[in-house]
Amino acid sequence: MQTAEIKRRFLAHFAAHGHTVVPSAPLPAISDPNLLFINAGMVQFVPFFLGQRTPPYATAASVQKCIRTPDIDEVGKTSRHGTFFQMNGNFSFGDYFKADAIRLAWELSTKPVADGGFGLDPEKIWATVYLDDDEAYALWRGIGLPESRIVRRGKKDNFWSMGIPGPAGPCSELYYDRGPAYGPDGGPEVDEDRYLEFWNLVFMQHEITDVTSKEDFTIVGDLPKQNIDTGMGLERMASILQGVDNLYEIDEVRPILARAAELTGKVYGKQSGHAASESHADDVRLRVIADHVRTALMLIGDGVTPSNEGRGYVLRRIMRRAIRAMRLLGWHDRALPELLPIARDCMSPSYPELAADFERISQIAYGEEDTFLGTLRAGTTILDTAIADTKSSGGAQLSGAKAFQLHDTYGFPIDLTLEIAAEQGLAVDADGFRALMAEQRARAKADAKARKTGHADLSQYRAVLDANGPTTWLAYETLETESKVLAVLPGAGDIVTVFLDRTPFYAESGGQDSDAGLLTGPNLKAEIIDVQRPVKGLIAHAVRILDGTITTGDTVHAAVDPEWRTGARQAHSGTHIVHAALRHVLGPTALQSGSYNRPGYLRLDFAWRGGLSDATRSEVEEVANLAIRRDLPVGVRYVPLDQARAEGALALFGETYDDTVRVVEIGGDWSRELCGGTHVDRSAQIGSLAVTGESSVGAGQRRIEAVTGIEAFRYLARERDLVGRLAAQLKSRPEELPDRVAALLARMKQVEKEAETLRDRLVDLDAEDFAANAVDVDGIAYVGVTTTGDGKRLAEKVRQRLGNRPGVIGVIAGAGIVVTVTPAAAERGLSAAGLIKQLLAGRGGGNDAFAQGRATGDPADLLVRLRDLTRTA
């Protein structure tokens, strides 16, 4: 049974039993500050379980895309570790409980394939329950499971919590016996390879506190409502139903692995036995490739782009591990153009949007691979230099600091550093590297901890919402309201958070900054400095009190600054117009991946490889302004999400949308996007638009910036004034400025070249004079001088002038000293590095021919001591 069919059957089974089918949330966990990615099927339902939001349905079912990366280094080493996986789940929010959860799971698992089930052999299914969960035990006995196949286990295995105070409860896990070929008899406690867990039923019935670990907490009572949260691993069920060993061999993964093996000439699983295959180095690398390429496809598909922080860093690391694994298997060409289309074909039956959006996805992926291949070349050069310096100084070990720098700054893999160093006969200070990595992880954890607000932080907002109901939000209808103050939460200094029964203020969302304005009353004057939606349905106003006080129950006049809103509308509509102009000029793959706009300013990130030429940038700007000049109508419609997508409305990657969405159209289908922002009524109201910059924000990602309205006029006026002043200074007409400036630059380069030639000649004359007047020190020609020029260059010139004579040259330039010896002196045992270390008490460095360090003390004294060292050497 194909994986897509397993997914379809799961959702159909629960839909037939009254569950609402909920689409998977995007992989980036945008709504949860504690997570980078969705890592479990229940994450999007957490606010319902915690009571922060009222669920719109009593029961639900979903197949959630998930990412787990804490054990990324273990991927491929066993059959259990993978980064991307899919979790089938059914959920009850105070509706059914244990009996129905167990019945529904058993029915789907054992129902014949012909009847829409999975057709598992009931005689091969085992169940585990929590130690004292006699109710679950009895229910499984009632289903027909014998006592011999029901196992009681402790908190570590069969008690679930989120790791924080809140809901928790016992769980029951289902295992499938894959037979003696996979391990010994005896059930899950004996061998969890043979007995493969495929479904976990969580009975959320308790409230816990004093949580210090998974097994250390206090149960303070039962929840007001009992909930169900289940998770059935889609990949695990696929491996069972497809009769394969592990997740790497199912239909959504194996073709990627097979193509990698074909390209590299490797044979997967060539050693006998499951354990042997897992430990074979080539098999591990092939598994890494298959897993990581699929994961990269899914992450980019959900709007993540490679970068050096956060989600983008995880994606970059995953992609580079896959590319590196291909190189270790002997493939040195571009790998992703060979592998990513295979992953697309594997996953598009379940996620057809991947095929529709593949051109954008592939552009980002291939651009990142090209960048990394350049990194490998640059890193190899840096590593070669470090190895040469280590060997020339007599060292046998590359420092951990250098290995960490290569890894952290240049993205150069540590395993490649180890491999290349070993080829050159050097070890690497692995302990030092690991210590620096540990420090980095500690900093990252501290940062993550600092970012964690915890779900409990929302309780104060939830209390306001529960007590007063949702805010009546009128930002689309009016700029002013008479409002009642529902609650005031204290803040820092003169800033408080205010909740109103109705508000005209736009809350920051969809890339648009929040409104500015005033709250006024008989005894109040306060400015709005921020507006947010901390929980769905509630608007929170950050307010700075300018005069008077504000208390619950007050009636206030809420007024948006009309100039602010006008500028915001111009900028947001301008963002849509720039997006449409980019797609008009560059093609449909130039899709927005993020945006930000405030009054008079906008920026838009989009998928594209390579910078835009001046001509292309000008064309985008012209297309945008022509659309503004045409005075296109701007319309808003509310339609079902499926209808909006069918009509070609563009959505922002990574965003979650309700079933009914707001579609903003400019000129009908000229620009059609899902958007919750405020907009002008007709495009001409934008005034004008000027592109101010275009830059890279990551591999395959560009950023365009622009100003609109009065800010565009001011920008163009400044540009005009600047051109006018330059033209006056250069005594040229404005249109002649480019040629005039180019001529001046060419002349400057010529003058610099002539000056450099003159400097070289002067150094040559000095070097000739110094060499001719070298002091004889026991048969060694010694030259010790100071200079205001380039000490290294002068030392090298003197060395050349000494020719075949044994000689030592010391040159002090500023705060640095350079020491070099001629080949004839080196044959006598003189070493530049040795001399400078003696001279500077161990400081300084270099090789036998050339060394340098910091000149401390009197320069004349240093040169005399160098002469004496030459004699004693």
Side-chain angles (χ1 to χ4, degrees):
M1 188 180 297
Q2 298 294 290
T3 304
E5 175 62 12
I6 298 171
K7 173 183 175 181
R8 189 198 67 76
R9 288 181 180 231
F10 179 88
L11 294 175
H13 173 74
F14 285 99
H17 286 85
H19 291 63
T20 298
V21 174
V22 179
S24 171
L27 284 166
I30 295 172
S31 61
D32 191 331
N34 302 327
L35 298 174
L36 286 178
F37 300 110
I38 299 290
N39 62 0
M42 54 83 72
V43 169
Q44 66 170 314
F45 303 109
V46 166
F48 303 154
F49 290 131
L50 293 177
Q52 295 168 351
R53 290 174 55 189
T54 301
Y57 29 69
T59 60
S62 70
V63 178
Q64 176 64 52
K65 298 175 286 187
C66 301
I67 296 282
R68 287 183 186 167
T69 58
D71 51 3
I72 188 174
D73 292 326
E74 299 303 312
V75 170
K77 294 179 181 178
T78 76
S79 62
R80 298 182 185 179
H81 291 93
T83 50
F84 172 80
F85 62 98
Q86 299 155 91
M87 189 59 70
N88 299 354
N90 59 286
F91 308 90
S92 168
F93 310 106
D95 191 76
Y96 63 82
F97 199 50
K98 289 183 186 178
D100 285 334
I102 287 174
R103 176 181 58 83
L104 289 168
W106 182 261
E107 284 182 5
L108 179 59
S109 299
T110 60
K111 186 165 52 177
V113 172
D115 296 334
F118 295 143
L120 296 181
D121 183 353
E123 301 300 318
K124 295 184 177 181
I125 296 177
W126 290 60
T128 63
V129 297
Y130 183 55
L131 285 174
D132 60 3
D133 193 352
D134 296 331
E135 180 185 3
Y137 188 92
L139 288 167
W140 282 119
R141 290 289 291 119
I143 283 287
L145 272 182
E147 293 182 7
S148 60
R149 286 193 276 123
I150 307 174
V151 181
R152 294 182 185 265
R153 305 182 82 172
K155 287 180 179 178
K156 180 179 180 181
D157 297 295
N158 277 73
F159 198 95
W160 176 90
S161 77
M162 293 176 59
I164 61 174
C171 58
S172 181
E173 297 173 328
L174 293 178
Y175 291 79
Y176 193 73
D177 181 1
R178 299 196 291 171
Y182 289 87
D185 195 3
E189 285 195 302
V190 174
D191 191 303
E192 290 197 8
D193 283 326
R194 171 174 172 171
Y195 300 90
L196 186 67
E197 179 193 343
F198 66 89
W199 208 330
N200 184 15
L201 314 178
V202 175
F203 310 128
M204 209 177 294
Q205 63 190 85
H206 302 306
E207 182 178 357
I208 63 172
T209 188
D210 300 328
V211 181
T212 58
S213 72
K214 183 176 175 62
E215 301 178 58
D216 189 7
F217 51 81
T218 301
I219 297 176
V220 294
D222 291 333
L223 293 171
K225 292 183 178 180
Q226 295 175 326
N227 303 314
I228 289 294
D229 159 27
T230 86
M232 185 189 84
L234 183 54
E235 283 78 7
R236 290 198 177 190
M237 180 57 76
S239 67
I240 292 171
L241 295 181
Q242 293 172 19
V244 298
D245 285 353
N246 53 63
L247 67 91
Y248 299 100
E249 299 176 12
I250 66 172
D251 61 304
E252 288 187 345
V253 184
R254 183 60 184 260
I256 311 169
L257 188 152
R259 180 59 176 154
E262 178 185 1
L263 291 172
T264 58
K266 304 298 180 182
V267 178
Y268 177 70
K270 62 185 177 182
Q271 295 187 354
S272 62
H274 305 290
S277 176
E278 289 176 357
S279 63
H280 188 257
D282 287 352
D283 285 354
V284 170
R285 287 167 182 154
L286 287 169
R287 287 172 169 174
V288 167
I289 293 161
D291 173 87
H292 287 6
V293 169
R294 185 172 78 135
T295 300
L297 171 78
M298 301 307 295
L299 284 173
I300 299 173
D302 272 3
V304 181
T305 55
S307 69
N308 286 329
E309 59 185 13
R311 300 179 182 96
Y313 177 75
V314 174
L315 171 59
R316 171 163 286 169
R317 186 182 178 204
I318 284 171
M319 294 178 69
R320 291 184 171 189
R321 278 172 56 85
I323 296 164
R324 170 66 180 143
M326 285 292 289
R327 291 174 69 85
L328 289 172
L329 291 175
W331 180 260
H332 293 280
D333 293 331
R334 298 171 78 211
L336 292 182
E338 300 287 345
L339 300 174
L340 201 67
I342 308 296
R344 172 203 60 200
D345 295 343
C346 290
M347 299 305 297
S348 56
S350 288
Y351 306 98
E353 63 272 16
L354 294 171
D357 193 31
F358 188 69
E359 189 168 355
R360 178 193 68 88
I361 294 169
S362 60
Q363 279 190 352
I364 293 171
Y366 301 162
E368 174 64 15
E369 179 170 25
D370 291 341
T371 299
F372 182 48
L373 294 178
T375 294
L376 287 177
R377 288 189 289 271
T380 301
T381 301
I382 294 167
L383 178 57
D384 288 345
T385 301
I387 288 172
D389 290 345
T390 301
K391 294 175 74 173
S392 67
S393 63
Q397 179 174 264
L398 191 71
S399 73
K402 177 58 69 174
F404 179 76
Q405 179 194 25
L406 283 162
H407 167 84
D408 190 55
T409 305
Y410 300 99
F412 200 73
I414 182 60
D415 55 347
L416 188 55
T417 299
L418 291 166
E419 180 182 316
I420 293 175
E423 290 171 355
Q424 297 295 320
L426 289 180
V428 177
D429 179 11
D431 290 340
F433 173 81
R434 283 191 290 267
L436 291 168
M437 284 295 295
E439 290 177 13
Q440 185 190 60
R441 291 192 188 101
R443 288 192 297 269
K445 286 182 179 179
D447 177 65
K449 186 175 181 180
R451 289 189 296 107
K452 276 193 177 185
T453 59
H455 297 285
D457 290 347
L458 299 178
S459 61
Q460 56 187 343
Y461 303 117
R462 181 67 195 180
V464 174
L465 183 61
D466 289 344
N468 302 284
T471 308
T472 301
W473 189 57
L474 301 170
Y476 295 148
E477 287 82 26
T478 183
L479 295 181
E480 299 184 47
T481 61
E482 294 299 317
S483 304
K484 180 181 178 181
V485 178
L486 301 177
V488 180
L489 298 179
D494 56 358
I495 297 175
V496 296
T497 300
V498 175
F499 302 91
L500 306 174
D501 65 338
R502 55 204 309 245
T503 181
F505 291 100
Y506 184 84
E508 180 183 357
S509 63
Q512 180 176 331
D513 205 352
S514 60
D515 277 334
L518 294 174
L519 293 183
T520 56
N523 300 305
L524 172 71
K525 182 177 182 181
E527 63 174 332
I528 300 291
I529 59 175
D530 191 23
V531 187
Q532 297 290 332
R533 279 190 176 91
V535 295
K536 190 173 183 178
L538 187 69
I539 306 296
H541 309 75
V543 172
R544 177 180 286 112
I545 305 296
L546 303 177
D547 187 43
T549 59
I550 186 169
T551 59
T552 300
D554 287 352
T555 297
V556 297
H557 183 72
V560 176
D561 181 338
E563 289 299 318
W564 180 281
R565 176 66 72 82
T566 295
R569 295 169 67 203
Q570 290 173 323
H572 205 149
S573 296
T575 303
H576 286 221
I577 281 181
V578 169
H579 189 198
L582 280 167
R583 290 168 55 77
H584 178 86
V585 174
L586 301 179
T589 60
L591 280 171
Q592 174 185 338
S593 57
S595 68
Y596 170 74
N597 52 79
R598 62 173 187 266
Y601 169 84
L602 68 91
R603 70 169 184 247
L604 185 145
D605 297 344
F606 61 101
W608 196 253
R609 292 179 64 188
L612 304 186
S613 66
D614 290 342
T616 300
R617 181 173 135 174
S618 295
E619 186 179 359
V620 170
E621 186 178 61
E622 183 173 357
V623 169
N625 279 292
L626 286 173
I628 292 171
R629 181 183 176 186
R630 286 167 57 196
D631 197 25
L632 300 172
V634 180
V636 174
R637 293 186 295 131
Y638 291 87
V639 299
L641 177 59
D642 291 342
Q643 178 184 334
R645 285 176 170 159
E647 293 175 351
L650 301 178
L652 184 64
F653 295 105
E655 287 288 343
T656 302
Y657 296 95
D658 294 331
D659 292 336
T660 299
V661 293
R662 185 173 186 258
V663 178
V664 175
E665 297 174 332
I666 301 177
D669 61 2
W670 190 83
S671 169
R672 180 176 289 139
E673 300 190 28
L674 306 188
C675 180
T678 61
H679 290 271
V680 297
D681 298 319
R682 301 189 67 87
S683 62
Q685 293 173 353
I686 296 172
S688 59
L689 184 147
V691 174
T692 59
E694 189 271 332
S695 59
S696 170
V697 289
Q701 288 288 299
R702 307 295 299 180
R703 171 171 292 172
I704 195 164
E705 297 177 90
V707 286
T708 57
I710 191 65
E711 290 303 322
F713 171 80
R714 290 168 178 161
Y715 172 79
L716 294 173
R718 289 193 299 270
E719 294 284 295
R720 179 195 62 199
D721 291 344
L722 177 61
V723 169
R725 291 199 302 272
L726 287 174
Q729 289 177 352
L730 297 177
K731 296 181 174 58
S732 301
R733 292 193 298 273
E735 62 270 21
E736 296 174 343
L737 280 177
D739 291 340
R740 180 76 171 121
V741 171
L744 286 172
L745 290 174
R747 178 57 185 151
M748 285 178 61
K749 288 181 180 178
Q750 180 63 31
V751 170
E752 288 174 356
K753 185 176 180 180
E754 292 171 356
E756 183 65 20
T757 301
L758 180 59
R759 283 193 292 269
D760 276 345
R761 181 58 186 149
L762 291 173
V763 170
D764 283 339
L765 291 173
D766 285 343
E768 189 173 343
D769 183 52
F770 292 143
N773 292 286
V775 176
D776 183 272
V777 180
D778 295 341
I780 303 294
Y782 172 73
V783 176
V785 297
T786 60
T787 181
T788 57
D790 186 333
K792 184 177 179 181
R793 178 188 294 181
L794 178 59
E796 182 59 33
K797 292 285 187 181
V798 175
R799 185 170 178 264
Q800 293 173 3
R801 291 296 182 276
L802 289 175
N804 295 326
R805 297 169 61 189
V808 172
I809 304 99
V811 178
I812 294 177
I817 181 170
V818 174
V819 175
T820 184
V821 302
T822 63
E827 290 176 1
R828 293 195 180 188
L830 287 165
S831 164
L835 287 170
I836 205 162
K837 286 186 179 298
Q838 292 182 69
L839 182 67
L840 302 179
R843 298 187 301 275
N847 53 41
D848 289 340
F850 180 89
Q852 56 188 347
R854 183 173 180 81
T856 56
D858 180 71
D861 181 57
L862 274 178
L863 294 174
V864 168
R865 289 191 322 179
L866 178 60
R867 182 192 62 194
D868 294 341
L869 289 171
T870 301
R871 175 178 291 110
T872 58

